[in-house]
Amino acid sequence: MLEYNEELQKKLIKEEGFQENGLPYKDVGGTMTIGFGYTKWSLDGKNGRPHWTEYWGKDGTPTGKTMSRDEASKLAPKVTQIYIDDANSVITNKELNQEQNNAIVNLIYRNGLNNVKKSGVIDLINKNDIEGAQKIIKESPHLIKAGGKVLKPG
């Protein structure tokens, strides 16, 4: 079972970055985002997370409400838990180490559970074919791009 840990959180925060003015912005894929990559899927108003409509309207227009780095940091474990829960719902391989578990959560955080499932990565991980999963991640145009732009090789 995958669990929250500080190493995972540090990596997600480092890779996502933070918009210093605290206002919502469109990421490279065109998705409205705030904080450390928080989107309408993670700001769902549940379990102590704010609802995305506090920050932008349905048309993407910012409401003017900002999120400080401190607020985003305090919210990070609650948002990350969504993706940990997603990973736990599909990963059956109990032989994975903490670094591999963290990588799976990171992949789901960045790409969404359905995109990762469609890629075949989950099936290979569950069969303990880590090399096969790594190959898909590195070569898949769907897991390394958003809005047609290369984000970061797998």
Side-chain angles (χ1 to χ4, degrees), residues 54-116:
E54 293 180 36
Y55 301 99
W56 62 87
K58 291 183 182 191
D59 64 354
T61 304
T63 63
K65 184 174 180 179
T66 61
M67 181 181 288
S68 70
R69 182 179 289 273
D70 186 54
E71 289 170 320
S73 294
K74 288 177 182 170
L75 186 57
K78 294 175 183 177
V79 169
T80 302
Q81 191 61 50
I82 295 169
Y83 303 99
I84 293 169
D85 292 346
D86 282 349
N88 280 325
S89 75
V90 295
I91 299 298
T92 59
N93 184 344
K94 305 297 182 201
E95 297 178 31
L96 302 174
N97 64 37
Q98 190 64 57
E99 186 177 353
Q100 291 167 325
N101 284 328
N102 286 354
I104 293 163
V105 174
N106 189 325
L107 188 66
I108 293 170
Y109 189 102
R110 294 171 146 299
N111 295 279
L113 179 60
N114 286 333
N115 290 328
V116 177

Side-chain angles (χ1 to χ4, degrees), residues 136-147:
I136 288 175
I137 294 165
K138 288 178 182 172
E139 295 176 1
S140 172
H142 304 290
L143 297 180
I144 61 172
K145 293 183 180 179

